[in-house]
C-alpha cells in the first residue's frame, strides 16, 4: 500500500534552517510527483510546491519561493524540504502528499516549531 | 490566486443526519475540485476527486456535486467516524488552493 512516512517534529530557532523528509513506499517513487503543504493553526492549507522525483524538476508557489527548497534522493525514495531563514510564521504542520495537484495520498505531517 | 470559501465553518450535526458542506470559488474551476477529510490526529484522506468521483474504499454515503463556481460535499447518514474537518481543493489554476475548512462536530 502507498505510504508516505515523514520525519519527526522539529524545534528550531529564528533565523535557522530545517530539513524535513518524506519517505515513500508501496509504489514507484519516480513515477509520481511529491507536493508539500503547510498548515498553520486555524488557517487554511497552503500548497508550497512540488517536485518530480524522476527529473528533479520543481515548481513553487510564489509565496514560498526563497523559503522552501525541494529535493529528492531516488536511492532511498525520499523527498526533502528545506525551510530557511525561519521565523515564528513558519511554525506549522508540514505535509507531503503524492501528486502535483491531486494529492491522493498524504504523509502524517511534521510539526515544525520556531521559537527562541 | 483562486479563493475557495467553505460554509459553514462549523457544522453541528447528529448521528444519522444528512449534511452538506459548500465550497464556492472566486472564479470558475471547471470541476477541478477535490474533497479531503482530516482527523484530529492529523491524518488526511482524499474522499472525492474531480468534483464527484468517490475515492476507492470511501463509503457511498459520501457524494460530491457542483459545477462552475459552486460545489458541495454531502454525507447521507452521519456515522461517528465522520466527525472531522473537511477541506476542498481546487487545481484548475496554479497555484492550487484550499478552502478554509469545515468542522463537522457532534451536536
Amino acid at each position: 500500500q502507498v505510504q508516505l512516512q515523514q520525519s519527526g517534529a522539529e524545534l528550531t530557532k529564528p533565523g535557522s534552517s530545517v530539513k524535513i523528509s518524506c519517505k515513500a513506499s508501496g509504489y514507484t517513487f519516480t513515477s509520481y510527483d511529491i507536493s508539500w503543504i503547510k498548515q498553520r493553526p486555524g488557517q487554511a492549507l497552503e500548497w508550497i510546491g512540488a517536485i518530480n522525483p524522476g527529473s528533479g524538476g520543481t515548481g513553487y508557489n510564489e509565496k514560498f519561493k526563497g523559503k522552501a527548497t525541494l529535493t529528492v534522493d531516488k536511492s532511498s525514495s525520499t523527498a526533502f524540504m528545506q525551510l530557511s531563514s525561519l521565523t515564528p510564521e513558519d511554525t506549522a504542520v508540514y505535509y507531503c502528499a503524492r501528486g502535483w495537484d491531486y494529492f491522493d495520498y498524504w504523509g502524517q505531517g511534521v510539526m515544525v516549531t520556531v521559537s527562541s | 490566486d483562486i479563493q475557495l470559501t467553505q460554509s459553514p465553518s462549523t457544522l453541528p450535526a447528529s448521528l444519522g443526519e444528512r449534511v452538506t458542506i459548500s465550497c464556492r470559488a472566486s472564479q470558475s474551476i471547471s470541476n477541478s475540485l477535490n474533497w479531503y477529510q482530516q482527523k484530529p490526529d492529523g491524518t488526511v484522506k482524499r474522499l472525492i476527486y474531480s468534483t464527484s468521483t468517490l475515492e476507492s474504499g470511501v463509503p457511498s454515503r459520501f457524494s460530491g456535486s457542483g459545477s462552475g463556481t459552486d460545489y458541495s460535499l454531502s454525507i447521507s447518514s452521519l456515522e461517528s467516524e465522520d466527525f472531522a474537518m473537511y477541506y476542498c481543493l481546487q487545481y484548475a489554476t496554479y497555484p492550487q488552493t484550499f478552502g478554509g475548512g469545515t468542522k463537522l462536530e457532534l451536536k
Side-chain angles (χ1 to χ4, degrees), chain A residues 39 60 95 100-103, chain B residues 34 36 38 42 87 94 96:
Chain A
Q39 184 175 39
Y60 295 92
Y95 289 94
W100 199 280
D101 55 12
Y102 53 83
F103 314 147
Chain B
N34 295 348
Y36 296 86
Q38 184 180 40
Y87 295 92
Y94 188 92
Q96 304 78 296

Side-chain angles (χ1 to χ4, degrees), chain B residues 22-70:
Chain B
S22 169
C23 180
R24 175 164 289 178
S26 56
Q27 63 190 72
S28 176
I29 55 173
S30 304
N31 289 359
S32 300
L33 186 107
N34 295 348
W35 289 96
Y36 296 86
Q37 178 191 67
Q38 184 180 40
K39 289 293 184 75
D41 67 357
T43 303
V44 179
K45 179 181 178 181
R46 189 174 70 170
L47 300 174
I48 287 171
Y49 59 95
S50 301
T51 296
S52 59
T53 304
L54 199 64
E55 188 72 39
S56 176
V58 172
S60 58
R61 62 181 180 273
F62 290 89
S63 63
S65 64
S67 63
T69 60
D70 292 329

